């Protein structure tokens, strides 16, 4: 009798344990991650109807194959229910959609989902310098769970992260100029990643010049720099010489001017011929030659010459 009582107690305990295990399996929790702007589908079906809850509040209900999603304005136009798969989907996700979701089936099936939304990670940027050694700084805008890492091939050289979302993440790297290894800077969060590959550029490599290279360099410098300058100087000198020659007066013209000056200075145009007696002093237009212009004196000389000829 006492044995049967113990047997019943053991059986009761076993049923309790089985029931707990079944209950836990029916109310399991899944961790989900997704990118902002995408959609998420909850795998637990509600073929006989059910509801979708967000942080404890109902946001959609399915009754007899019809869904009502008017419970919350922020979700009502973004929740879909597939009649074939009986699964809920939320589209056009935003960062504020992160939280706990529960799919509660009418048959008692209940599944909890913890959803975390992430912004797409930014592409890293490189700042380089080439002074003795090739130095690089890789940086990226920080975000939720963003990690910045530096790789040489598949080997990770360094990495960093920060809970402060208002700073930039950065990693410095110094490389010998002769090093031809390829490097990679990678920014990643749980759903996206961006990377930039780089190596020491040819312009930063150390070049050992031979004597012939040095000679060719000097020749190129002479051709490209000194010859144009010398040509310009010669051309300018030729221009100045030609300008001076053009402005210089003709010697024959200068001699004629001197001769005319002498005639005007020393000749006294006066005539007393028969039947045509005439002197400049008798001309009513005559004035003292002093103070007259060369043109006036030339005109007087011409008049005198005509009178004398006549």
């Amino acid at each position: 009798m006492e044995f049967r009582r113990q047997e019943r107690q053991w059986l009761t305990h076993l049923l309790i344990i089985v029931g707990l295990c079944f209950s836990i399996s029916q109310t399991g929790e899944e961790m989900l991650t997704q990118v902002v702007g995408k959609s998420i589908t909850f795998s637990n079906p509600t073929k006989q109807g059910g509801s979708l809850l967000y942080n404890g509040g109902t946001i959609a209900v399915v009754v007899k194959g019809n869904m009502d999603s008017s419970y919350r304005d922020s979700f009502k136009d973004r929740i879909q229910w597939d009649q074939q798969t009986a699964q809920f989907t939320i589209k056009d996700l935003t960062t504020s959609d992160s939280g706990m979701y529960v799919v509660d089936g009418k048959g008692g099936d209940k599944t909890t989902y913890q959803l975390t939304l992430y912004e797409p990670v930014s592409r890293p940027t490189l700042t380089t310098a080439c002074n003795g050694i090739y130095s690089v700084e890789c940086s990226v805008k920080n975000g939720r769970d963003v990690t910045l890492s530096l790789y040489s091939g598949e080997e990770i050289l360094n990495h960093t992260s920060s809970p402060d979302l208002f700073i930039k993440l950065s990693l410095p790297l110094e490389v010998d100029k002769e090093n031809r290894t390829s490097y990679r800077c990678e920014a990643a969060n749980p759903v996206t990643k961006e990377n930039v590959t780089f190596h020491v550029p040819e312009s930063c490599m150390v070049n050992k010049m031979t004597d012939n290279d040095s000679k060719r360099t000097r020749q190129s410098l002479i051709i490209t720099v000194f010859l144009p300058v010398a040509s310009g100087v010669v051309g300018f000198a030729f221009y100045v010489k030609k300008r001076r020659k053009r402005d210089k007066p003709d010697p024959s013209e200068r001699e004629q001017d001197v001769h005319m000056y002498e005639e005007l200075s020393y000749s006294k145009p006066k005539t007393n011929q028969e039947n045509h007696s005439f002197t400049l002093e008798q001309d009513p237009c005559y004035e003292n030659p002093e103070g007259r212009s060369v043109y006036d004196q030339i005109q007087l000389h011409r008049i005198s010459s005509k009178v004398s000829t006549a």
Side-chain angles (χ1 to χ4, degrees):
M1 190 74 179
E2 184 177 350
F3 176 76
R4 291 181 178 177
R5 186 182 300 170
Q6 290 179 353
E7 192 177 63
R8 281 197 296 269
Q9 288 178 351
W10 281 106
L11 184 60
T12 302
H13 290 160
L14 181 61
L15 291 174
I16 292 173
I17 292 172
V18 172
L20 289 173
C21 292
F22 181 78
S23 176
I24 292 173
S25 65
Q26 294 298 309
T27 59
E29 182 173 318
E30 295 184 20
M31 305 299 294
L32 301 176
T33 57
Q34 187 55 284
V35 183
V36 169
K38 301 292 185 178
S39 61
I40 192 75
T41 297
F42 303 106
S43 59
N44 187 25
T46 55
K47 294 182 179 181
Q48 298 179 1
S51 58
L52 178 63
L53 292 81
Y54 170 66
N55 289 339
T58 301
I59 57 175
V61 174
V62 176
V63 179
K64 296 181 180 181
N66 295 316
M67 183 192 70
D68 180 9
S69 61
S70 61
Y71 292 87
R72 189 176 294 190
D73 291 339
S74 59
F75 284 101
K76 70 177 183 178
D77 294 328
R78 298 190 294 125
I79 299 177
Q80 298 174 341
W81 183 76
D82 192 316
Q83 292 184 349
Q84 294 182 351
T85 62
Q87 294 175 334
F88 287 104
T89 298
I90 302 176
K91 63 179 183 178
D92 299 331
L93 294 168
T94 65
T95 53
S96 61
D97 292 335
S98 296
M100 186 179 68
Y101 293 82
V102 176
V103 177
D104 189 1
K106 196 171 184 180
D109 296 337
K110 184 182 292 186
T111 306
T112 301
Y113 302 89
Q114 188 65 42
L115 177 63
T116 305
L117 278 304
Y118 292 92
E119 293 280 356
V121 71
S122 301
R123 184 179 176 84
T125 58
L126 298 178
T127 304
T128 62
C130 186
N131 297 316
I133 59 175
Y134 181 63
S135 60
V136 182
E137 183 180 75
C138 178
S139 60
V140 72
K141 179 184 177 182
N142 197 15
R144 186 175 185 178
D145 297 335
V146 171
T147 301
L148 184 66
S149 306
L150 276 173
Y151 291 86
S152 175
E154 295 302 320
E155 177 188 0
I156 185 168
L157 302 177
N158 200 358
H159 65 91
T160 185
S161 61
S162 174
D164 188 352
L165 304 182
F166 299 97
I167 66 170
K168 268 191 173 183
L169 299 178
S170 61
L171 286 174
L173 178 67
E174 293 185 348
V175 184
D176 187 87
K177 288 183 178 181
E178 299 292 342
N179 193 330
R180 300 302 297 159
T181 305
S182 179
Y183 296 90
R184 185 174 83 255
C185 179
E186 181 178 279
N189 60 22
V191 291
T192 60
K193 67 178 180 180
E194 293 283 350
N195 60 74
V196 177
T197 302
F198 63 94
H199 59 271
V200 179
E202 293 291 340
S203 59
C204 196
M205 296 288 290
V206 177
N207 295 321
K208 296 181 179 179
M209 297 181 62
T210 63
D211 293 338
N212 291 333
D213 294 334
S214 179
K215 185 177 180 180
R216 283 195 295 268
T217 301
R218 289 195 297 268
Q219 290 175 349
S220 299
L221 185 64
I222 292 173
I223 293 174
T224 58
V225 178
F226 294 105
L227 285 183
V229 173
S231 299
V233 172
V234 171
F236 180 75
F238 179 77
Y239 169 79
V240 172
K241 183 178 180 181
K242 186 176 181 181
R243 181 68 180 268
R244 288 179 177 177
K245 184 177 181 181
R246 185 179 62 184
D247 294 342
K248 186 176 180 180
D250 187 22
S252 60
E253 294 179 358
R254 181 176 180 85
E255 183 179 353
Q256 183 178 357
D257 292 341
V258 171
H259 179 70
M260 182 66 68
Y261 176 76
E262 291 175 352
E263 289 181 351
L264 291 175
S265 300
Y266 297 101
S267 64
K268 295 182 179 181
K270 181 185 297 185
T271 181
N272 289 309
Q273 296 184 2
E274 185 180 356
N275 299 326
H276 294 285
S277 179
F278 179 80
T279 62
L280 290 176
E281 287 79 358
Q282 295 174 347
D283 187 353
C285 296
Y286 178 79
E287 294 180 3
N288 188 348
E290 295 182 2
R292 285 196 173 149
S293 65
V294 174
Y295 176 77
D296 294 333
Q297 296 181 41
I298 290 173
Q299 290 295 98
L300 292 174
H301 178 72
R302 288 178 178 176
I303 294 172
S304 300
S305 297
K306 290 180 178 181
V307 172
S308 176
T309 301

